[in-house]
Amino acid sequence: MGNVSFDVMNARVTFKNVPIHSLSKFEFKDVSAACEEFKKIPGVDECIIIQTASRVEIFTVSNVEDDDSPDARRDEAKGLILNQVKDTWVSLSSLEQIDIDHFDQTIEVYKGNDVYLNLLRLAAGLDSFVVGKREVYDEIVQSLEKAKQAGTSGKILNKLFDSVVRLATKMRDATGIEKDVISLGDIAVKLVDEKAGLDAKKKVLLMGTGESAAQVAKTLNKKEVPYDVASRTLDRATGFSTVVGGTPVDFNDALAGLDKYDIVFVATTADYFIITHERIRLVMEEKKKGTLIMDISEPRAVNEDITSLPGIKLLFRDQIAELYEESVKARKGIVPAVEKIIDKELPVLSVRMQKLEN
């Protein structure tokens, strides 16, 4: 009987290759139960899932006996495990047939050192939704703790995640990448709060389901301000609200009932004006209270002609752009320093993991 080595695999979908409003289809209703299902796959011994508003990542470990079997046979065994991981993912998700047809093109699969590199970059804040934000680091720590409690992780993934968390703490402290991190959403919500006051009593609408909209939504969640979400289709709004938050509403209904909102955040990627004087004139003419509309879309999605309507105050991305761009620039300047540490630590981590083989 030969030595036993292990294969670490990472299968994932993230906001970089799937629209945020579609991520909910790839999610698991019960992460611990999903880990248990992946562990039922013959050959899979450990599983940890990281599931957040911007990603679903599955980490598995399968043990391979280093006997005299030809490489082709071992590769075939690994291929079978990957196929079963995909099949299990599909069976546990709410993917539609069109998503299943393109599943292989949608998910990213990494093995060995590439898994270690991905996890290091993620924990250090390089691949997170907002570069440097601590949120994803905390989510990695929580995913590990849940897996340990549920007993779905083991010697290999525990060692990997513990090592990555320790290294990420060191990198974050050494480079200051998470210091004073502010997202576009943080700045937009802060400005609106200064201009109109923002609390749970205000009726708030968020138009859009892209990355900028998600940043606004996350800040509103943090402030515990409830809000409605409208998108081009109700399906998109529903998918977005499942992953990020808010209450989905029909786009045309939101425009027809715009007078009931005190604050409207517009964060779309449309290349035309979605709010114009002509479109909202009838509903807004009789409104007694003021409405503040903050358009952070690029290009602008709100026509300035609406300011001729009574009580409407309009703010644009330009008014927060300088502050936001300074923050982004500061982060970008730190990224190479973090990458340099990762380049140095990756081979060390790889050797440390190899020592776990027996």
Side-chain angles (χ1 to χ4, degrees), residues 249-290:
V249 293
D250 180 79
F251 184 82
N252 290 319
D253 289 350
L255 276 183
L258 204 64
D259 56 329
K260 72 180 180 187
Y261 294 103
D262 304 299
I263 291 160
V264 180
F265 290 95
V266 183
T268 76
T269 52
D271 53 3
Y272 55 89
F273 291 130
I274 61 168
I275 297 181
T276 63
H277 181 282
E278 188 54 39
R279 199 152 190 196
I280 65 169
R281 178 178 58 84
L282 290 175
V283 70
M284 298 302 278
E285 266 181 342
E286 303 301 318
K287 190 174 178 191
K288 301 290 185 280
K289 283 196 307 175

Side-chain angles (χ1 to χ4, degrees), residues 285-302:
E285 266 181 342
E286 303 301 318
K287 190 174 178 191
K288 301 290 185 280
K289 283 196 307 175
T291 302
L292 189 147
I293 298 177
M294 169 97 226
D295 182 10
I296 59 169
S297 310
E298 254 187 347
R300 289 181 179 183
V302 181

Side-chain angles (χ1 to χ4, degrees), residues 55-349:
R55 63 187 62 248
V56 180
E57 305 218 15
I58 302 162
F59 295 83
T60 60
V61 171
S62 50
N63 285 317
V64 182
E65 196 169 306
D66 287 337
D67 53 18
D68 296 326
S69 302
D71 289 346
R73 197 182 301 167
R74 286 205 293 272
D75 288 344
E76 187 184 343
K78 291 175 192 176
L80 281 172
I81 288 172
L82 173 57
N83 287 336
Q84 286 178 282
V85 165
K86 289 176 184 174
D87 291 345
T88 303
W89 192 343
V90 168
S91 72
L92 295 173
S93 67
S94 55
L95 289 164
E96 294 162 14
Q97 191 56 50
I98 188 166
D99 305 307
I100 295 167
D101 292 342
H102 296 95
F103 193 67
D104 280 351
Q105 291 87 41
T106 306
I107 68 163
E108 299 172 307
V109 178
Y110 298 94
K111 294 179 182 178
N113 279 357
D114 289 336
V115 177
Y116 310 155
L117 176 61
N118 285 348
L119 200 51
L120 279 170
R121 287 183 61 86
L122 188 60
L126 298 188
D127 286 344
S128 55
F129 206 54
V130 178
V131 172
K133 200 105 169 171
R134 189 177 177 82
E135 194 175 25
V136 74
Y137 169 91
D138 294 335
E139 285 160 344
I140 289 170
V141 172
Q142 286 159 17
S143 299
L144 173 61
E145 285 312 308
K146 282 178 189 167
K148 281 180 177 176
Q149 285 166 16
T152 58
S153 62
K155 182 175 77 169
I156 308 300
L157 287 182
N158 288 346
K159 180 71 174 175
L160 173 60
F161 274 66
D162 281 331
S163 300
V164 165
V165 165
R166 185 177 50 77
L167 288 169
T169 305
K170 179 177 153 187
M171 286 187 276
R172 284 171 175 272
D173 291 346
T175 61
I177 193 165
E178 70 178 46
K179 189 172 177 282
D180 304 326
V181 175
I182 43 175
S183 73
L184 183 65
D186 293 335
I187 302 169
V189 169
K190 186 171 185 285
L191 181 61
V192 166
D193 196 15
E194 286 168 3
K195 299 285 184 186
L198 190 56
D199 55 47
K201 291 174 191 166
K202 292 274 165 67
K203 189 78 177 149
V204 179
L205 173 66
L206 172 60
M207 304 187 90
T209 52
E211 288 180 35
S212 298
Q215 290 183 28
V216 171
K218 284 185 166 202
T219 308
L220 291 173
N221 294 342
K222 214 159 38 186
K223 290 177 75 71
E224 296 183 348
V225 173
Y227 55 96
D228 290 344
V229 179
S231 186
R232 270 179 282 184
T233 68
L234 189 56
D235 270 357
R236 281 190 176 196
T238 304
F240 180 91
S241 66
T242 303
V243 175
V244 189
T247 304
V249 293
D250 180 79
F251 184 82
N252 290 319
D253 289 350
L255 276 183
L258 204 64
D259 56 329
K260 72 180 180 187
Y261 294 103
D262 304 299
I263 291 160
V264 180
F265 290 95
V266 183
T268 76
T269 52
D271 53 3
Y272 55 89
F273 291 130
I274 61 168
I275 297 181
T276 63
H277 181 282
E278 188 54 39
R279 199 152 190 196
I280 65 169
R281 178 178 58 84
L282 290 175
V283 70
M284 298 302 278
E285 266 181 342
E286 303 301 318
K287 190 174 178 191
K288 301 290 185 280
K289 283 196 307 175
T291 302
L292 189 147
I293 298 177
M294 169 97 226
D295 182 10
I296 59 169
S297 310
E298 254 187 347
R300 289 181 179 183
V302 181
N303 195 324
E304 279 184 83
D305 64 4
I306 67 165
T307 53
S308 62
L309 291 164
I312 285 194
K313 184 167 182 61
L314 179 58
L315 301 172
F316 284 118
R317 188 183 177 118
D318 315 22
Q319 287 157 277
I320 59 170
E322 192 179 343
L323 198 57
Y324 174 60
E325 277 154 22
E326 276 174 19
S327 173
V328 170
K329 197 174 171 186
R331 298 281 82 66
K332 276 186 178 167
I334 296 169
V335 167
V338 179
E339 288 179 329
K340 199 171 176 183
I341 298 173
I342 288 175
D343 287 345
K344 186 180 159 192
E345 294 290 353
L346 182 60
V348 181
L349 176 61

